[in-house]
Amino acid sequence: MPSTKTLEILYFASLAEQAGKDAETIRFDGDTLTELYQYLHNQYGFNLATNKLAVAINHEITHWQSTIHDGDTVAFVPPCGRRLNQWQIYIKAHPPLH
């Protein structure tokens, strides 16, 4: 049974524009990145499919079936070279807290 998790979500490029923010902290009951993205897609109307995005948990690129845990930082990165470079700089400057 899924438990409620507090997650920090980072948005980049078009996802940040669609969400109207670069980051937020949410409470979420699902267990996988796919479930999380579907929830956010429904909330913000994201127009990119998961196969068009890079995703990371705690500053490490991962796959969509990865399990999320309470306190994780999740980043969704659209395919935009310049923004991806900015994201990589951000990730290096903000290491995981746990």
Side-chain angles (χ1 to χ4, degrees):
M1 176 177 207
S3 62
T4 301
K5 300 157 187 63
T6 300
L7 304 170
E8 181 181 3
I9 310 297
L10 306 177
Y11 305 106
F12 294 89
S14 63
L15 295 181
E17 292 170 12
Q18 291 171 4
K21 58 188 96 179
D22 295 327
E24 68 179 322
T25 300
I26 67 166
R27 305 268 300 152
F28 180 68
D29 291 329
D31 289 318
T32 68
L33 291 169
T34 303
E35 293 170 329
L36 175 60
Y37 187 73
Q38 185 62 48
Y39 168 81
L40 297 169
H41 169 81
N42 292 341
Q43 184 170 346
Y44 297 117
F46 293 149
N47 59 5
L48 291 173
T50 56
N51 66 347
K52 300 290 185 188
L53 297 169
V55 63
I57 297 176
N58 299 328
H59 312 283
E60 297 289 332
I61 297 291
T62 190
H63 57 86
W64 283 97
Q65 292 74 34
S66 295
T67 302
I68 51 178
H69 303 281
D70 187 48
D72 281 347
T73 298
V74 178
F76 298 104
V77 186
C80 179
R82 182 171 169 259
R83 298 284 179 162
L84 184 56
N85 289 338
Q86 290 174 350
W87 178 75
Q88 290 168 333
I89 292 167
Y90 175 88
I91 295 300
K92 288 179 183 176
H94 298 84
L97 298 176
H98 47 84

